[in-house]
């Protein structure tokens, strides 16, 4: 899953860079308003790419990993209704 998210992130960011380069390298020669519109679209892509890259899937089990602080872990386990073997 991580590789898929990474590929999607780089595809989105590559699209963003391509839009900027094409807008001011080529499209502005014919239409400045269209070039500005392309830049506005490119401006929206990086936050979306960050959300795609940081999205957690059902296989990513980061929320139930122990933190290392025994008291905190016991407290969270009690709230979650988990029974931990006493040490």
């Amino acid at each position: 899953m991580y590789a898929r998210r990474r590929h999607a992130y780089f595809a989105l960011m590559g699209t963003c860079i391509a839009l900027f380069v094409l807008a001011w390298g080529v499209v502005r020669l014919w239409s400045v308003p269209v070039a500005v519109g392309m830049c506005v679209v490119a401006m929206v892509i990086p936050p979306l790419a960050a959300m795609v890259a940081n999205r957690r899937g059902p296989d990513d089990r980061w929320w139930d990993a122990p933190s290392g602080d025994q008291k905190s872990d016991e407290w969270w386990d009690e709230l979650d209704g988990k029974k931990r073997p006493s040490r």
Side-chain angles (χ1 to χ4, degrees), residues 40-75:
V40 168
V41 170
M43 179 181 68
V44 175
I45 293 175
L48 294 176
M51 286 187 266
V52 166
N54 291 315
R55 182 182 56 201
R56 299 290 182 188
D59 297 336
D60 298 333
R61 301 294 300 227
W62 58 272
W63 59 86
D64 60 355
S67 67
D69 179 16
Q70 184 179 359
K71 188 171 185 172
S72 174
D73 290 340
E74 288 172 1
W75 185 76

Side-chain angles (χ1 to χ4, degrees), residues 2-79:
Y2 176 71
R4 182 179 298 163
R5 288 193 310 253
R6 189 178 64 214
H7 289 139
Y9 173 79
F10 284 120
L12 285 167
M13 292 306 290
T15 302
C16 176
I17 291 171
L19 280 171
F20 272 120
V21 169
L22 286 174
W24 296 114
V26 179
V27 176
R28 73 171 171 88
L29 300 173
W30 288 278
S31 175
V32 172
V34 172
V36 170
M38 289 173 67
C39 286
V40 168
V41 170
M43 179 181 68
V44 175
I45 293 175
L48 294 176
M51 286 187 266
V52 166
N54 291 315
R55 182 182 56 201
R56 299 290 182 188
D59 297 336
D60 298 333
R61 301 294 300 227
W62 58 272
W63 59 86
D64 60 355
S67 67
D69 179 16
Q70 184 179 359
K71 188 171 185 172
S72 174
D73 290 340
E74 288 172 1
W75 185 76
W76 281 108
D77 286 344
E78 181 182 338
L79 285 177

